[in-house]
Amino acid sequence: MSHTDATRAVEAVWRIESARLVAALTRMVGDVGLAEEFAQDALVTALEKWPDEGVPDNPGAWLTTVAKRRMLDRWRRDERFQKRMADLGRDIAERDGQAEFAAVLEEDYGDDLLKLMFVCCHPVLSTEARVALTLRLLGGLTTEEVARAFLVSESTVAQRVVRAKRTLADRQVPFEVPVGEDRDARLASVLEVVYLVFNEGYAATSGGDWIRPELCDEAMRLGRVLAALLPREREVHGLVALMELHASRFRARVGPDGEPVPLAEQDRTRWDRRLVTRGFRALRHALPSDPSEPRGPYALQAAIAAKHAQAAKAEDTDWAGIAGLYLALALATRSPVVELNRAVAVSMADGPEPALDIVDSLRDAGVLDGYHLLPAVRGDLLLRLDRPDEAREEFERAAGLTLNERERDHLRVRAGSCGA
């Protein structure tokens, strides 16, 4: 096997196995930072040995065995490591460590993966740190890949990851699935991180690309894993449905030169019907059997996306139904962004005037200052009300606020067309 082929094989295996390996090691040592260190040691060893020895039949078990040896070697020679494990209440003396690792090689990793998700998305970490750590440990992405995806420097991502692991260790965050009242809040944090990753891929906040499918793919993979681990959590299925339905539009969302294509102008025959079907399937798991029961925010958003998917043409869209769903979502979340989206739906169902009242209330409240979509929506409504000069000002204001180059160009084109 050539060095290039071996490197590719290691990278592929690492993407598949790294989260399981780190999860199992975290259960062993009780510290996610140490667990990743031992896992990385195993990765380096694979890069050294596989070009000569070939890829083993069970690469996951091979990596786990090497990580085990590294951990036990560290235990034998490093008193500070022994003290650290003692402080964490861990006993990994050689005999017990060998036995526990033998069990690790044979058992289901699902519970460990779920615990690792809750640790990576713990509220003691900043949002940026939660995202970076999740992509590193659960996604198997390198620091360089995370930095490239979010258009920040490698050193920034590395610092976020290091600080996150230090914070988790200092706060002694337990490697467990939370119970009781804490569980709902912690699960909400996990879902938030997955959705943040998806949204950054679906509509990039900065840079020259309108979408970054690789981020969406990773978020959907994490969502599907989470749904398999928590099959009774309706909101998990709601998030999966929402991502699948939105991702189905990828091929139609970007024009031939990379420019964004608005929903109303998309060629719906290019929507991925396989993802639409998967989205509808997940949505069925997200909705309560009793229609009178409240629906969660992700399930409501997925239901809105489903309304769009059900319309063969833009003019067939059930805008009244969508406006009603947005009203329920606004009452559930009290989010000004949701209220802005509701204004768009109201404009399509009842005309631009009542929608402009909603947008002007948001503008006057100052709750979305600096959010470029507020003037963008307002510009569209003003244009429909035959007020092109005011619309042009709003589109220009929106263009000045967005950091995405493609979106900025699109808004400037709209501003320029207002006099036409």
Side-chain angles (χ1 to χ4, degrees), residues 204-238:
T205 55
S206 60
D209 295 320
W210 174 232
I211 61 173
R212 298 186 189 125
E214 68 279 1
L215 278 180
C216 294
D217 290 343
E218 184 56 39
M220 286 191 290
R221 186 188 69 81
L222 291 173
R224 291 166 189 154
V225 169
L226 195 58
L229 296 174
L230 296 173
R232 296 183 180 180
E233 290 289 344
R234 289 204 295 262
E235 275 292 80
V236 175
H237 293 289

Side-chain angles (χ1 to χ4, degrees), residues 230-250:
L230 296 173
R232 296 183 180 180
E233 290 289 344
R234 289 204 295 262
E235 275 292 80
V236 175
H237 293 289
L239 176 57
V240 171
L242 176 61
M243 294 190 295
E244 303 272 17
L245 290 168
H246 278 178
S248 71
R249 308 172 192 166
F250 271 167

Side-chain angles (χ1 to χ4, degrees), residues 319-342:
W319 284 110
I322 290 175
L325 288 167
Y326 267 124
L327 179 59
L329 184 61
L331 293 173
T333 63
R334 303 295 177 182
S335 165
V337 174
V338 170
E339 189 70 356
L340 181 63
N341 289 330
R342 184 173 79 87

Side-chain angles (χ1 to χ4, degrees), residues 4 17 61 75 78 83 125 139 171 183-185 198 203 215 224 244 271 275 404 419:
T4 300
E17 300 290 346
W75 170 263
D78 193 334
K83 184 179 184 304
L125 305 176
R171 299 288 288 272
R183 188 176 186 276
D184 290 341
F198 181 85
L215 278 180
R224 291 166 189 154
E244 303 272 17
W271 287 6
L275 287 176
N404 185 280

